[in-house]
Structures are given as structure tokens and as C-alpha cells.
Amino acid sequence: MLRTLAFSLTVLAGTSVLANTACPQHFAAGQRPVVTNPKMQPRTQELCFKAFAVLHSGLSRTPLYAAEHLTRQNMKNAAKLSRKDSFHAEDALPEGDRAELSDYERSGYDRGHLQYPVKNILIS
């Protein structure tokens, strides 16, 4: 798992080219970053949600990039959310590309944190 995280961070460091997005409201300048590492491009998928977007790698089964547009109202609404034990595998991803609860057993990693701080998001 630690190797996967380091690999994902390496990919992010190389993302400087911009690409079209289905959810421009969440990305800077309305464009998502392009994964420039050709080894990571297969099985990379954008997921658009009401309050945020994720560029997800099916190879590492982790997000490569998460983006949201913070507003005062979103922050107020998020403060009211309860997140206790709300992890779930993302159904919008193919089964082999998504992280499952069992992937986190005895790993030392918290599950389901795509963004920080967690209270900033609105779950859709």
C-alpha cells in the first residue's frame, strides 16, 4: 500500500499538461491534469460528483488527483456531515479497479480519504 501511495505521488508530480473534463467546475481553469506517465494512463478514469471530482487509477486503485471548489456554503454544509464508518467501494468503478474495505485491513492506512480536510466535502 505504501508503495502504491508513493507511486501515485510520483504520477502527480508529472502532471502539468491540461485535459478536457466532464466536471470543469471542480478543476482549476476548468481543466483536469493529464497523466503524463504513459504507464499510468491505461485504466485512468475521471469521476464527477456533486461537490468534487477524482481522477482515479485502476492500476494503483487509488485517486491520482482529487479536486473541489470550496465555497463558504459548502464548508457550512460539510460541517454538519457525519462520516463515521461510511467507507464504501466506489460503484462507478469497475470491480477490479476500485479499493475494497478488505484492502485496508492491517495496513495502517485510514480508508476512504480522497481529500483533506475530510469535513470540506459534500458527499453526493
Side-chain angles (χ1 to χ4, degrees):
M1 187 62 106
L2 184 56
R3 189 177 350 191
T4 300
L5 180 60
F7 187 64
S8 294
L9 292 176
T10 301
V11 171
L12 282 177
T15 58
S16 59
V17 181
L18 299 177
N20 291 329
T21 176
C23 39
Q25 70 277 19
H26 299 307
F27 291 99
Q31 299 288 313
R32 70 173 172 93
V34 168
V35 178
T36 57
N37 180 337
K39 292 179 183 179
M40 290 300 290
Q41 289 173 353
R43 295 173 44 200
T44 296
Q45 180 177 341
E46 180 181 73
L47 300 172
C48 299
F49 297 93
K50 181 178 177 183
F52 65 99
V54 175
L55 189 59
H56 183 272
S57 170
L59 297 174
S60 65
R61 299 187 316 165
T62 61
L64 300 176
Y65 191 92
E68 67 179 314
H69 180 91
L70 290 178
T71 65
R72 186 176 308 275
Q73 188 59 49
N74 285 357
M75 297 290 285
K76 287 179 183 178
N77 292 342
K80 300 173 191 172
L81 293 176
S82 171
R83 194 188 170 278
K84 186 177 180 181
D85 295 325
S86 64
F87 174 84
H88 67 278
E90 181 52 60
D91 294 334
L93 294 168
E95 211 170 293
D97 287 0
R98 62 184 179 218
E100 300 288 345
L101 185 57
S102 61
D103 294 327
Y104 292 92
E105 289 177 5
R106 293 183 285 284
S107 70
Y109 287 97
D110 198 2
R111 56 190 185 261
H113 287 254
L114 298 180
Q115 302 168 307
Y116 57 89
V118 173
K119 284 288 191 171
N120 285 355
I121 66 170
L122 289 174
I123 299 170
S124 60

